[in-house]
Amino acid sequence: MRVEHTLADFDSAPAMLRGLAAYLHGRDFPGLGIWPAALEPLGRGLNRLPRRVREMVYRVAGWMEAIPVDRLGDVRAETLSRWAVGQYPQRRYPGVAIGSSNGAAVHLWAALGIPWLPQTYLVPVRAHLDPDEPRRSLDWGRVHGPALLTPNPDLQLHHMHDANQDRLMIQYMQYFRVKRRRLGETFTRFLEESLEPGATVFLVECGLAWPTTRIGERHVFQHGALGGASPDEYAHGGPRMEAYLRRYGIPKRRWDAPAADGHSPEAEWGFEPELRADVERLAQRHGWRIRRLVFEQPEALSPLVADLYRWWYRERGFDSRRLIVESFILLEPWWTLRTGAAPFWMVFNKEPSLAALEHYLDRTDPFDEIALTRFAHGVDSVGLPSIERWAAVLERAHHEGRFVGVDQAAFPRDFAVFLRFHRDLTTISARRPMPAPLPLAALDTFLRTSGHQYAVEWLDGGANAHVRSA
């Protein structure tokens, strides 16, 4: 069985891992590592198709990535791990990151020249269910979840159902997100063979939680996800949800969702802390240092990493006044450094992401250039800012603000953005020498001397002494 057929290429962990691996190989990341540049004209043509046709293409593309339900029993945690470690160059590293997916952290690991091993993956499973009936989705997962869990004792299953942001996809598939509770044989061997003596292991711990319904010991159902709507709106509705359902002709005021009976790590971004003990045991055995990177919201890292890059550039002898604003899986570590830009990663394309970006621009030194992209998910969902709101951000650049890869008229059904994003970045004329990896000591210097406070904690080793806290 080929692992590429059990993971979603469009999901955060595989895309971010491929982008980081490409950088560590000394390469850029065109087409998200999936599509050749020659397909760009096809993308432009797709954007000119009628809306319903574009939406159907998007659904079918997702369905083609999903596995048939009768193959769930073939999924193996170690196969997923072998795919992950196989992306990286085979060499010795001064450190490694393990844990939550995070686009800003990808730029941190690129700067340090180290790999990242994700805790969470999405296994999409083919199913034809009504996206506006979350109880049916839960019942479906109750039946089919054991096929995945039984042969994979190291995994826990977070069945995620989000008819707000994933309306198109979940008509043809179900989102089975799995989180590692233990390192497993493949990750353990990779660490033992790839880490230098005295290496640093960064645990990436996003504390974001979400209301869930318990199905089994290692199985929860999550209604909704991080983005433009709140957990309360998913559970109880509200004016914005009513308006959204009316837009799509759904004859109800809110979803009849299963009652939550607890909170769990958010399916895509949250860190399952059970993995920490396994990593700490292995690190103690080999004399590796543990650094815990702890934060509540995925975008909490974005200001820190953007400021780190600006500081790093000044240490290299030039001032960075260029900002690249990335969105979800639209990110490019290699071209960020090649153009001497600071990266600001947004978790998605919704109001909270826009607010996080605006807040950062309010408090940081101004930029001469701002290049901004937006992930296209195909849905007029709750909390989606207008194109005018995004354009106002670009007006804050002193010299030039521009969209990167974005077809303003086609958004949010701008499916060509996945190809045009990389091409537009390459048209930035500035070029800087590619740097040697940033030493870990330099990261500590930045953390000690930075004048800003971040919503991030750095905890050191088993003693949990604060290196720096927000």
Side-chain angles (χ1 to χ4, degrees):
M1 181 182 64
R2 295 176 59 199
V3 68
E4 291 88 343
H5 290 178
T6 68
L7 292 178
D9 283 329
F10 60 82
D11 193 47
S12 53
M16 292 174 182
L17 189 147
R18 285 195 305 267
L20 176 60
Y23 177 83
L24 295 178
H25 278 286
R27 301 192 299 259
D28 59 352
F29 190 46
L32 301 178
I34 308 169
W35 303 292
L39 289 180
E40 186 190 332
L42 178 62
R44 292 199 302 270
L46 177 62
N47 275 3
R48 291 193 290 268
L49 294 173
R51 167 178 168 170
R52 290 189 177 182
V53 176
R54 277 182 284 160
E55 290 180 343
M56 180 54 67
V57 170
Y58 196 71
R59 292 188 192 100
V60 171
W63 177 86
M64 291 176 65
E65 287 207 301
I67 64 171
V69 69
D70 59 7
R71 286 189 56 199
L72 266 174
D74 297 331
V75 176
R76 292 294 184 272
E78 291 305 300
T79 307
L80 305 182
S81 295
R82 283 194 293 272
W83 174 85
V85 302
Q87 306 303 303
Y88 292 117
Q90 295 184 9
R91 59 178 183 245
R92 304 284 274 185
Y93 296 97
V96 69
I98 303 171
S100 297
S101 302
N102 190 280
V106 166
H107 289 283
L108 178 57
W109 316 137
L112 297 174
I114 64 174
W116 159 67
L117 305 179
Q119 181 183 49
T120 303
Y121 298 99
L122 169 61
V123 178
V125 189
R126 292 176 186 174
H128 292 269
L129 296 172
D130 187 338
D132 299 298
E133 297 293 341
R135 288 182 183 273
R136 294 183 185 177
S137 180
L138 182 150
D139 291 341
W140 185 94
R142 190 192 307 276
V143 171
H144 297 291
L148 184 151
L149 289 170
T150 300
N152 292 290
D154 288 349
L155 299 182
Q156 63 188 39
L157 172 59
H158 296 242
H159 181 186
M160 193 187 87
H161 180 97
D162 183 4
N164 177 39
Q165 299 173 119
D166 298 325
R167 166 169 294 277
L168 298 183
M169 288 293 192
I170 63 174
Q171 293 182 34
Y172 287 178
M173 70 168 70
Q174 293 292 292
Y175 280 43
F176 270 18
R177 295 194 183 277
V178 293
K179 294 184 185 289
R180 268 203 167 275
R181 304 189 305 156
R182 289 182 288 276
L183 283 168
E185 177 184 348
T186 301
F187 278 180
T188 298
R189 184 170 61 250
F190 176 80
L191 296 174
E192 292 175 337
E193 294 176 353
S194 301
L195 290 183
E196 298 173 353
T200 297
V201 178
F202 292 90
L203 276 171
V204 193
E205 304 183 27
C206 179
L208 182 66
W210 201 269
T212 53
T213 305
R214 176 68 54 182
I215 297 176
E217 181 184 359
R218 293 183 286 124
H219 186 180
V220 295
F221 179 82
Q222 176 178 309
H223 181 227
L226 181 67
S230 68
D232 185 71
E233 287 178 301
Y234 279 105
H236 306 295
R240 297 199 304 171
M241 280 300 184
E242 288 184 30
Y244 169 71
L245 291 169
R246 283 197 302 271
R247 280 198 296 277
Y248 281 91
I250 308 302
K252 59 179 67 179
R253 299 179 62 185
R254 65 180 182 88
W255 290 301
D256 180 21
D261 54 19
H263 284 75
S264 303
E266 201 278 335
E268 183 164 12
W269 310 109
F271 178 74
E272 169 50 56
E274 189 169 346
L275 178 63
R276 184 192 312 133
D278 204 31
V279 176
E280 289 176 339
R281 282 192 294 268
L282 186 66
Q284 184 176 20
R285 187 187 317 155
H286 291 279
W288 302 326
R289 180 187 182 189
I290 291 283
R291 293 281 293 272
R292 295 177 58 203
L293 180 55
V294 182
F295 51 98
E296 288 301 313
Q297 293 291 328
E299 281 159 341
L301 282 182
S302 298
L304 184 150
V305 174
D307 285 350
L308 170 66
Y309 267 58
R310 299 189 85 175
W311 175 87
W312 187 21
Y313 292 140
R314 287 193 295 271
E315 292 292 302
R316 293 172 55 200
F318 63 94
D319 188 17
S320 173
R321 294 187 174 273
R322 178 176 298 107
L323 182 70
I324 295 177
V325 182
E326 302 169 327
S327 180
F328 190 44
I329 60 175
L330 293 172
L331 73 172
E332 209 349 319
W334 196 90
W335 277 103
T336 296
L337 283 164
R338 189 71 173 95
T339 59
F344 188 95
W345 174 76
M346 300 185 300
V347 70
F348 212 50
N349 54 32
K350 298 299 188 64
E351 291 278 359
S353 293
L354 177 57
L357 173 61
E358 291 172 332
H359 179 70
Y360 175 68
L361 292 174
D362 285 342
R363 71 152 185 81
T364 194
D365 293 336
F367 290 94
D368 290 338
E369 300 177 29
I370 300 177
L372 182 150
T373 195
R374 300 183 305 171
F375 180 83
H377 64 309
V379 184
D380 296 304
S381 47
V382 172
L384 191 67
S386 67
I387 190 66
E388 291 77 18
R389 292 278 310 282
W390 292 107
V393 169
L394 299 177
E395 293 173 0
R396 301 175 68 157
H398 279 193
H399 292 163
E400 181 187 15
R402 61 167 171 158
F403 288 110
V404 179
V406 174
D407 182 339
Q408 299 180 45
F411 186 82
R413 286 160 284 277
D414 175 20
F415 304 133
V417 69
F418 304 113
L419 295 164
R420 289 200 317 265
F421 168 66
H422 173 269
R423 182 208 63 183
D424 284 4
L425 282 183
T426 66
T427 65
I428 296 176
S429 59
R431 295 291 184 272
R432 296 289 183 179
M434 296 300 286
L438 183 70
L440 296 181
L443 172 61
D444 287 336
T445 299
F446 166 75
L447 293 174
R448 286 195 308 269
T449 60
S450 173
H452 296 297
Q453 294 293 307
Y454 305 98
V456 175
E457 287 186 314
W458 296 85
L459 304 176
D460 193 14
N464 284 346
H466 282 67
V467 176
R468 186 182 191 281
S469 63

